Amino acid sequence: MYKLYWSPGSAAMAPHAVLNAIGAKTELIKIDDEKGEQKGAEYLRINPHGRVPTLVYDGANVMYESAAICLFLTERHPEAGLAPRPGDPDRGLFLQWTAYLTNTLQEALMHYWHPGYFIDGAERQNEVSLKAEATSDRMFGFLDGVLKRSGPYLCGKQFTVCDAYLAMIARWTRKMAKPAVTHPEIARLVRHCLAWPPYAEMLRQQGIEQPV
Ligand SMILES: N[C@@H](CCC(=O)N[C@@H](CS)C(=O)NCC(=O)O)C(=O)O
């Protein structure tokens, strides 16, 4: 029913965990980003941006953008219970965190990992990366406070795909001087995701680990 194009530790982590949770028939197609396969002509035909993830569903329908894929899958498979349904009062909060995570926190991490997308010159790129490290730490500190005040999950009492998305982004900080898991509530949430079988299975399938 689904094909997921992914590379290890990429933004495909969250959709991959959701597909595991759904238990739908899925073909996992690895894109070797170290060999630059994401920029190869074959892959560019389905994702003209040359990035992962990409989801193919029901034959020939193609979509990309990790958060959009997560939303689409949770909507299509409400029985997985990974999102408040449309109309539920918690839906607003769920959409808020989905947008915040992909649009704000993930963007800071893009600046950290890929400063060259934003500015030229090694020295200036290093500055952008360092600034993004501080910015993302501030955001994780903010989210830590949210989890402490109104957790245990981002949407309160319901574990949603937002929590897995947050755990994915937290992994991207593992090489920082102050990784996201130095915030205690973020560490607790990441541990919860590591104990969630679909997330643990995704890490195993991708051949990666996640330090806490
Ligand atoms: N906003 C996109 C970002 C996708 C993205 O930048 N993916 C990275 C891996 S995390 C990628 O494919 N980079 C390869 C490249 O830029 O060449 C999403 O969330 O799906």
Side-chain angles (χ1 to χ4, degrees):
M1 190 193 261
Y2 295 110
K3 276 189 200 175
L4 181 72
Y5 291 80
W6 64 284
S7 60
S10 70
M13 288 173 67
H16 187 165
V18 174
L19 284 163
N20 285 346
I22 288 164
K25 197 164 173 281
T26 303
E27 185 184 349
L28 296 170
I29 300 160
K30 185 174 176 181
I31 297 296
D32 191 336
D33 51 348
E34 285 175 11
K35 287 192 190 145
E37 281 177 6
Q38 77 278 19
K39 303 293 187 217
E42 202 185 323
Y43 186 66
L44 287 176
R45 266 197 291 278
I46 60 161
N47 185 331
H49 304 288
R51 295 190 181 186
V52 283
T54 301
L55 182 77
V56 179
Y57 59 97
D58 299 347
N61 299 298
V62 180
M63 70 180 292
Y64 43 81
E65 286 300 326
S66 180
I69 295 170
C70 289
L71 282 175
F72 175 69
L73 291 172
T74 56
E75 223 167 83
R76 242 186 167 202
H77 299 274
E79 70 286 355
L82 288 173
R85 296 187 186 209
D88 185 310
D90 286 340
R91 183 78 179 172
L93 198 57
F94 170 75
L95 292 176
Q96 170 195 294
W97 289 129
T98 302
Y100 179 84
L101 290 172
T102 187
N103 192 41
T104 304
L105 185 60
Q106 188 173 346
E107 187 59 11
L109 269 294
M110 289 297 283
H111 281 75
Y112 167 74
W113 280 100
H114 301 292
Y117 288 174
F118 304 96
I119 200 160
D120 291 325
E123 205 173 308
R124 294 201 302 171
Q125 286 171 7
N126 192 43
E127 274 176 38
V128 167
S129 193
L130 281 173
K131 179 78 181 167
E133 192 168 337
T135 303
S136 72
D137 181 54
R138 211 168 45 246
M139 290 174 183
F140 276 109
F142 165 75
L143 291 169
D144 195 72
V146 169
L147 290 168
K148 197 170 183 177
R149 278 192 307 280
S150 47
Y153 307 116
L154 274 177
C155 293
K157 293 200 172 17
Q158 185 184 358
F159 177 78
T160 70
V161 67
C162 292
D163 300 300
Y165 209 94
L166 181 58
M168 168 179 81
I169 299 178
R171 185 177 180 275
W172 298 343
T173 69
R174 67 197 181 283
K175 293 186 177 160
M176 290 183 179
K178 194 175 166 214
V181 290
T182 52
H183 297 279
E185 290 297 310
I186 303 289
R188 181 190 53 71
L189 190 68
V190 169
R191 274 196 294 272
H192 182 87
C193 289
L194 294 179
W196 183 47
Y199 194 91
E201 177 65 358
M202 172 277 294
L203 291 177
R204 194 194 62 73
Q205 289 169 317
Q206 296 207 359
I208 57 174
E209 293 184 343
Q210 180 152 3
V212 192

